[in-house]
Amino acid sequence: MKRIYLITPNILTKKFYSFLPKVLASKKVKFLQLRCKSYSRSKIDIHLKKMLTITKRHNVKLIINDDSFFIKKYKNTGFHLGQKDLMKKDNISNLNKNNCFGITCHNSISLAKKALKFKPRYIAFGAFYPTKTKQVKYIAKKDILKKAKKFKTKVVAIGGITNKNYKELIKNGADYIAISGFIWKNKQFNPVQAIKLFK
């Protein structure tokens, strides 16, 4: 089973694109999330076209962070929404079972129950460990994964995940583990070496 939900760096460089096909060739990645918060929609559009040729080749679903705008234009894409993004009218209109999307639920089962009404493909909890990828406002405990298993929706664990702690999250009920910094900003391993550390 492909367990990894891979998140891009905030800035997409030539180096990123040189490694991306090799990383996806590992056959460990189920989803790739394009997460570039400072990029305009027109800039994201350029990168989407580029990425889709790579993700399709490796049978990886491309997810756009915070925005459902592109799903009508690009069939093989999905989107991920934070709690604030759920309030936006454009996003609400795209929340239907035919679309592939996920919703952030932080460290809350009650948020998860509300999210499930939209019938997402997955719900995400975290952060489970300290991370430098984004500012952490919510800390999740591993037992929330066990509680979430009673839902029929897939569960993503996020936040500071490395090759040393990911098995614990899977053991507690995570279907997928979201990783970014360990792959793209690892000072010890290049991205291809880093992805291979997840068995």
Side-chain angles (χ1 to χ4, degrees):
M1 179 183 174
K2 292 180 173 181
R3 291 271 189 192
I4 294 176
Y5 184 116
L6 186 61
I7 301 173
T8 69
N10 286 316
I11 305 294
L12 303 178
T13 62
K14 284 182 181 177
K15 186 181 177 183
F16 164 76
Y17 279 108
S18 71
F19 275 111
L20 182 61
K22 297 170 190 172
V23 168
L24 299 189
S26 69
K27 297 183 179 178
K28 296 175 187 288
V29 180
K30 177 74 173 179
F31 301 100
L32 175 69
Q33 186 190 114
L34 198 170
R35 186 183 184 274
C36 299
K37 291 199 174 260
S38 64
Y39 285 11
S40 63
R41 273 183 176 168
S42 59
K43 196 169 183 179
I44 285 174
D45 199 1
I46 292 165
H47 286 287
L48 270 176
K49 287 174 191 167
K50 228 173 159 179
M51 275 188 210
L52 273 168
T53 59
I54 304 168
T55 54
K56 280 180 184 176
R57 197 183 311 139
H58 296 284
N59 197 27
V60 173
K61 190 78 173 180
L62 185 56
I63 304 288
I64 298 103
N65 186 54
D66 291 348
D67 196 350
S68 65
F69 176 78
F70 294 99
I71 59 158
K72 287 172 184 171
K73 187 175 180 181
Y74 300 108
K75 286 182 181 176
N76 199 36
T77 63
F79 57 95
H80 178 86
L81 300 180
Q83 288 295 312
K84 288 179 183 175
D85 306 308
L86 275 172
M87 303 301 120
K88 295 174 184 174
K89 282 184 183 178
D90 291 351
N91 289 334
I92 289 169
S93 66
N94 287 319
L95 290 172
N96 67 66
K97 62 183 179 181
N98 296 320
N99 290 326
C100 173
F101 65 92
I103 299 173
T104 293
C105 300
H106 301 307
N107 56 1
S108 168
I109 287 292
S110 64
L111 284 180
K113 285 177 180 175
K114 288 176 186 174
L116 290 169
K117 291 174 185 176
F118 297 109
K119 295 183 168 44
R121 184 74 59 90
Y122 65 85
I123 48 177
F125 296 100
F128 287 92
Y129 305 104
T131 175
K132 292 178 183 176
T133 302
K134 62 184 285 188
Q135 195 174 354
V136 174
K137 290 182 182 177
Y138 304 92
I139 303 294
K141 293 181 180 176
K142 289 190 282 286
D143 66 343
I144 200 167
L145 297 170
K146 287 180 179 175
K147 290 174 185 174
K149 284 306 283 183
K150 65 185 176 185
F151 307 133
K152 290 180 181 177
T153 307
K154 298 291 186 183
V155 174
V156 176
I158 191 166
I161 299 172
T162 70
N163 65 315
K164 300 282 171 67
N165 58 29
Y166 80 99
K167 286 182 180 176
E168 195 66 24
L169 297 171
I170 290 170
K171 195 164 71 177
N172 278 274
D175 295 293
Y176 304 108
I177 45 167
I179 312 170
S180 183
F182 187 83
I183 303 300
W184 307 115
K185 294 182 180 178
N186 198 315
K187 290 176 181 176
Q188 194 176 355
F189 305 104
N190 70 40
V192 176
Q193 291 168 333
I195 201 91
K196 285 178 180 176
L197 295 172
F198 296 86
K199 305 298 183 186

